[in-house]
């Protein structure tokens, strides 16, 4: 998408586009491992503190994991090269809620 500048009475108008990210709570009382790929065999890149909220950009299948929100093979992409198991994220669904990662 492109936004063309518009002038009014010789003065340029500025248009700002913002995409509102939806954040989801991680399981209470859990320090959540963030991995470099969608599975427990990928290295841990960081650990989220208890009470974290994460954006989910896309979701992809990976290693099966059992957690507070069930057993699933869905992994949530929360940033470039950062994945968490959906079993630890309160999305309110047992299925995909975001597009598949491409």
């Amino acid at each position: 998408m492109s936004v063309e500048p518009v002038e009014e009475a010789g003065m340029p108008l500025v248009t700002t586009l913002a995409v509102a990210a939806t954040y989801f709570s991680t399981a209470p009382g859990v320090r959540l491992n963030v991995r470099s790929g969608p599975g427990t065999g990928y290295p841990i890149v960081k650990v989220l503190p208890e009470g974290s909220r994460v954006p989910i950009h896309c979701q992809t299948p990976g290693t099966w994991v059992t957690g507070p929100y069930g057993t699933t093979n869905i992994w949530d992409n929360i940033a470039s090269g950062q994945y968490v198991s959906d079993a630890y994220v309160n999305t309110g669904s047992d299925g995909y809620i975001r597009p598949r990662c491409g």
Side-chain angles (χ1 to χ4, degrees), residues 29-97:
V30 172
R31 294 181 66 232
L32 186 57
N33 291 335
V34 179
R35 297 186 177 269
S36 64
T40 55
Y42 288 89
I44 296 170
V45 295
K46 68 180 182 179
V47 179
L48 297 176
E50 293 180 24
S52 292
R53 293 177 57 81
V54 295
I56 300 175
H57 302 292
C58 61
Q59 295 176 298
T60 191
T63 305
W64 284 91
V65 173
T66 298
Y69 300 114
T71 299
T72 185
N73 72 334
I74 298 173
W75 284 74
D76 304 328
N77 174 257
I78 62 168
S80 180
Q82 297 183 19
Y83 294 83
V84 295
S85 171
D86 197 61
Y88 287 88
V89 181
N90 186 6
T91 63
S93 172
D94 289 335
Y96 287 88
I97 60 156

Side-chain angles (χ1 to χ4, degrees), residues 2-53:
S2 74
V3 176
E4 299 297 324
V6 178
E7 289 188 20
E8 183 175 294
M11 300 293 295
L13 298 176
V14 177
T15 302
T16 303
L17 294 178
V19 177
T22 301
Y23 283 76
F24 299 89
S25 298
T26 59
V30 172
R31 294 181 66 232
L32 186 57
N33 291 335
V34 179
R35 297 186 177 269
S36 64
T40 55
Y42 288 89
I44 296 170
V45 295
K46 68 180 182 179
V47 179
L48 297 176
E50 293 180 24
S52 292
R53 293 177 57 81

